[in-house]
Amino acid sequence: MRVSGDHSQQRKAGLGLALLSAFTFGGSGVAAKPLIEAGVAPLEVTWLRVTGAALVLLPLAWRHRGLLTRRPGLLVGFGLLAVAGVQACYFAALSRIPVGVALLIEYFAPALVLGWVRFVQRRPVSRAAAVGVVLAVGGLTCVVEAWSGLSFNPIGVLLAFGAAFCQVGYFVLSDHGGDGQDPADPFGVIAYGLLIGAVALTVVGRPWGMDWTVLAGRADLAGARVPASVLLAWIVLVATVLAYLTGVVSVRRLSPQVAGVVACLEAVIATVLAWVLLAEHLGLAQVIGGAVVLTGALIAQTSTPKAAAAEPVAASAPVEGEREFTAGG
């Protein structure tokens, strides 16, 4: 009974962290849009976001510098996929296909995570997690109104799926870092992932051509003139540092596929915040879609682990109940 109680507490804590991560990630858009409208390019905002967060977490990087020799592959993979890859592919897709379509494709990642766990790791997935993914993806279709202005530019679609695959990397690598006898500290993984992502985005975004004077001025948020520096601080400290820290820890307390479905709430949160703070219209279909996503997330987080298949890959899995879905092989 004690083990069951501890397991339940771990899941509740993981769910709370996943919800906080979804809220903080979802809150990035309402702060970034005023900066973009003020004259900062989307990719430049992304570079400022990642680089600023990397600088904030430099002390953590120094504290966990041993990871550079112990888990270099994990750090590089997290930086290139979970940080730089998601952002770069998503913004590149936006230049070719509608925002709603790109967002829906990116958040197809939970279904891809289930495919990874089931067919690559050869582990069973619960029915609740599968149902949660189906509901979440269906609800997202309504939230982003994917049927309006569809444009199937092949390159844009491929880039959006690139963002989705990189999103899978975020969940898989976040979980993978906790495997083995010598797990990587999640804070160290995030710190170095952001540093590596900042370097990669510097090459892509070329920030040396940015108009830095915009950051010294003000931007319009809900009819108020807000200092651009305040918006940037929110994006860096809350929507990136806090979002990544809570997100990675939540994956380790839940499982990649369950945390992935809960993360779909980010799109709902972003839509609601845009409605409240940016006066963007929220239609009936979006309200219904948000409710469906929430239902899917709640169903997924109630899933219980199934016994792993008796194969070599399962033999190395952690023995704790909540870890039977892990993606570290």
Side-chain angles (χ1 to χ4, degrees):
M1 294 296 293
R2 181 183 180 87
V3 174
S4 177
D6 290 344
H7 177 88
S8 177
Q9 290 299 319
Q10 287 283 329
R11 289 183 61 82
K12 288 180 180 178
L15 177 60
L17 290 170
L19 291 172
L20 178 58
S21 179
F23 177 83
T24 50
F25 271 127
S28 63
V30 294
K33 186 171 183 177
L35 291 178
I36 293 172
E37 292 177 343
V40 184
L43 198 54
E44 292 172 345
V45 173
T46 303
W47 179 83
L48 288 169
R49 172 186 187 179
V50 174
T51 303
L55 293 175
V56 170
L57 295 182
L58 270 179
L60 281 178
W62 175 255
R63 179 179 180 181
H64 299 286
R65 57 191 180 277
L67 287 175
L68 288 172
T69 55
R70 287 173 42 224
R71 307 294 292 272
L74 173 65
L75 301 183
V76 172
F78 194 87
L80 295 182
L81 293 177
V83 178
V86 172
Q87 303 293 338
C89 288
Y90 176 68
F91 283 116
L94 292 185
S95 66
R96 294 173 171 85
I97 60 177
V99 174
V101 178
L103 189 60
L104 176 62
I105 294 174
E106 179 183 346
Y107 277 91
F108 192 66
L112 297 176
V113 170
L114 279 183
W116 171 274
V117 173
R118 181 66 184 90
F119 299 109
V120 178
Q121 294 295 318
R122 297 182 180 179
R123 303 181 190 280
V125 296
S126 71
R127 182 177 300 174
V131 171
V133 166
V134 172
L135 288 175
V137 172
L140 280 172
T141 304
C142 297
V143 171
V144 302
E145 294 184 338
W147 54 82
S148 61
L150 291 177
S151 175
F152 294 101
N153 179 286
I155 297 177
V157 171
L158 286 176
L159 287 168
F161 269 107
F165 278 106
C166 288
Q167 188 88 324
V168 173
Y170 166 76
F171 293 110
V172 171
L173 291 173
S174 295
D175 184 67
H176 181 73
D179 292 344
Q181 300 296 321
D182 188 21
D185 189 283
F187 295 164
V189 173
I190 295 166
Y192 279 105
L194 287 167
L195 281 171
I196 294 170
V199 172
L201 288 170
T202 298
V203 176
V204 176
R206 295 174 289 181
W208 46 83
M210 183 172 58
D211 182 7
W212 293 87
T213 61
V214 175
L215 299 179
R218 291 177 176 268
D220 184 69
L221 176 64
R225 298 293 291 174
V226 179
S229 58
V230 172
L231 296 175
L232 181 60
W234 171 273
I235 293 172
V236 170
L237 298 177
V238 178
T240 306
V241 173
L242 181 60
Y244 271 107
L245 291 177
T246 54
V248 171
V249 175
S250 73
V251 173
R252 296 193 182 184
R253 288 178 179 264
L254 296 171
S255 67
Q257 70 269 32
V258 174
V261 174
V262 177
C264 288
L265 289 174
E266 178 187 336
V268 179
I269 293 167
T271 303
V272 173
L273 290 177
W275 176 40
V276 174
L277 297 177
L278 302 179
E280 293 187 352
H281 177 67
L282 192 66
L284 178 61
Q286 291 175 305
V287 174
I288 295 174
V292 173
V293 172
L294 179 60
T295 301
L298 291 176
I299 291 175
Q301 69 87 23
T302 62
S303 65
T304 55
K306 297 181 180 180
E311 299 182 13
V313 67
S316 61
V319 297
E320 291 87 357
E322 69 272 21
R323 304 285 296 162
E324 291 182 4
F325 280 115
T326 60

